[in-house]
Amino acid sequence: VCADTATDHDFRTLRKNMAAAEGDEQMLQQARSYFKEKCFTAAQLKNLSTLFLEDEGKYSFFDAAYKYVRDKDAFALLVNELKDPYYINRFKAMLR
């Protein structure tokens, strides 16, 4: 879907912009704008997901990121970041 992998600088810039955003929806908007240009690794996505305090936000972030992850195999491990069985099941369904 994307040709370019995010550099450490891209990652840090996105993290800073997400951290400065007000609420989950603004953080998701920041992330989506970056996903149009860059692919991220599962490790970078895991780090960014810590900015979301609730599973709903984390799940929405992972859902938005799914098409833009460099290492799809490692992406499946992000299920461990979720606690709520409802979002865990939705995440697993997304992977199919």
Side-chain angles (χ1 to χ4, degrees):
V1 169
C2 53
D4 213 3
T5 301
T7 63
D8 282 344
H9 179 266
D10 295 325
F11 165 75
R12 285 192 303 274
T13 301
L14 176 56
R15 184 167 174 82
K16 187 177 79 178
N17 291 347
M18 286 175 65
E22 291 188 29
D24 289 359
E25 198 49 51
Q26 278 190 14
M27 286 197 293
L28 286 168
Q29 286 174 350
Q30 288 289 334
R32 285 188 187 109
S33 69
Y34 259 78
F35 294 156
K36 291 177 186 165
E37 307 291 326
K38 306 278 183 180
C39 283
F40 287 79
T41 66
Q44 289 170 324
L45 295 172
K46 177 181 177 179
N47 186 309
L48 292 170
S49 78
T50 63
L51 296 170
F52 294 93
L53 302 180
E54 304 292 330
D55 277 4
E56 181 179 7
K58 282 183 200 271
Y59 171 80
S60 296
F61 175 70
F62 292 148
D63 186 48
Y66 184 59
K67 291 187 290 193
Y68 307 100
V69 66
R70 260 290 162 241
D71 46 350
K72 287 265 198 258
D73 294 344
F75 185 82
L77 300 175
L78 296 176
V79 72
N80 297 326
E81 300 305 300
L82 300 169
K83 308 287 180 265
D84 185 325
Y86 172 75
Y87 291 106
I88 291 170
N89 289 330
R90 286 185 65 187
F91 184 90
K92 288 177 179 174
M94 177 188 9
L95 297 177
R96 291 190 190 115

